[in-house]
Amino acid sequence: MIDLEKLRGTLIVSCQALPDEPLHGSDIMAKMALACVLGGASAIRANSVVDINAIRKVVDVPIIGLIKKDYPDSEIYITPTKNEVLELINSSCDIIAIDATNRRRPNGEKLEDLLKLIKDSGKLAMADVSTFEEGIMAERMGFDLVSTTLSGYTSYSKKLIGPDVKLVKRLVKKLNIGVIAEGRISSERDLKKVMKAKPFAVVIGSAITRPLLITKKYVDTLKKYL
């Protein structure tokens, strides 16, 4: 089991590309992850077993694994069911990230059952939450880390343009486990704001690893001056 203290105060990079994006593919994600590690990333967050295992071949830092999958009877898509948890347990990731919101899971499955599966496997568990209350619940359940990944992405969480600094700050003050700041950190200015809340670590994804979105942001800005 990895030593979480080695992640304290560091940058974790999310290396993910959707199927409709040019950079989709495990070989590309592995190279992306390697570039991020060479740049100083302490860990990588990755989606799908094939990407996780490809990344593991080229880096020796901790990997936070997840599987995104849509189910018709639930809004949850980050490691939603037992099937995805078992796939991740058998992958080379060190930490399993799972949606820990209060929403109904596919097939009526229970979050506590999925957490037990993860813990029994010897891997660590990260709770992706959208609210303060969900973060509190995650610690009580026994999660090792809480991340603000889903803030603004559930129907009942506050929609913000930038990172949810207030949520990070509240969770840091209340929880005894590590709070990961994640979500809409798009610039050094955003990062400076987040760091004032003193999170355990920070995850940045799109602003580093998704050139399609990065380019579009600048192009949209340029158009305002035409």
Side-chain angles (χ1 to χ4, degrees):
M1 188 177 293
I2 64 170
D3 180 7
L4 284 179
E5 279 302 310
K6 292 183 178 180
L7 300 183
R8 185 182 292 276
T10 66
L11 173 66
I12 300 165
V13 178
S14 180
C15 293
Q16 301 180 42
L18 300 177
D20 61 346
E21 294 182 38
L23 296 188
H24 180 69
S26 58
D27 57 333
I28 299 175
M29 284 300 101
K31 291 177 181 177
M32 183 75 77
L34 177 57
C36 292
V37 171
L38 291 175
S42 67
I44 298 295
R45 179 171 164 122
N47 170 37
S48 83
V49 170
V50 64
D51 281 9
I52 291 166
N53 290 341
I55 290 169
R56 172 55 67 214
K57 291 179 181 179
V58 298
V59 303
D60 59 2
V61 299
I63 298 175
I64 302 166
L66 61 130
I67 294 177
K68 290 181 176 177
K69 187 170 182 179
D70 291 314
Y71 283 85
D73 62 336
S74 175
E75 296 179 344
I76 289 177
Y77 65 94
I78 296 178
T79 318
T81 75
K82 178 180 178 180
N83 291 335
E84 289 76 48
V85 170
L86 289 174
E87 286 185 51
L88 291 169
I89 286 173
N90 291 313
S91 77
S92 54
C93 73
D94 305 282
I95 303 170
I96 294 178
I98 184 170
D99 182 312
T101 64
N102 289 323
R103 297 175 293 181
R104 183 184 185 278
R105 305 196 81 83
N107 310 317
E109 293 188 20
K110 302 299 182 183
L111 180 59
E112 52 265 35
D113 295 332
L114 303 184
L115 176 60
K116 186 177 187 303
L117 267 181
I118 296 171
K119 303 293 278 188
D120 288 348
S121 76
K123 293 184 186 289
L124 299 178
M126 174 185 285
D128 287 347
V129 304
S130 67
T131 66
F132 176 74
E133 292 75 19
E134 289 168 350
I136 298 298
M137 179 188 71
E139 181 179 55
R140 289 174 180 169
M141 290 180 67
F143 277 90
D144 301 287
L145 296 164
V146 166
S147 178
T148 58
T149 315
L150 293 169
S151 171
Y153 297 104
T154 57
S155 60
Y156 50 85
S157 59
K158 190 173 183 180
K159 305 299 184 289
L160 299 169
I161 295 176
D164 195 340
V165 179
K166 183 177 179 180
L167 177 58
V168 174
K169 188 175 182 178
R170 290 185 70 196
L171 289 172
V172 167
K173 286 185 175 181
K174 185 68 175 181
L175 302 187
N176 294 310
I177 58 176
V179 176
I180 309 295
E182 181 175 5
R184 299 181 302 277
I185 302 173
S186 301
S187 65
E188 288 185 50
R189 183 179 180 181
D190 287 339
L191 180 58
K192 289 176 181 178
K193 289 180 180 178
V194 165
M195 290 309 295
K196 290 181 180 179
K198 300 182 179 179
F200 181 79
V202 175
V203 171
I204 298 179
S206 298
I208 295 176
T209 60
R210 298 178 75 180
L212 186 155
L213 296 180
I214 297 168
T215 302
K216 187 177 183 304
K217 181 179 71 173
Y218 286 111
V219 170
D220 288 344
T221 299
L222 283 173
K223 287 180 179 177
K224 295 177 182 178
Y225 293 90
L226 295 179

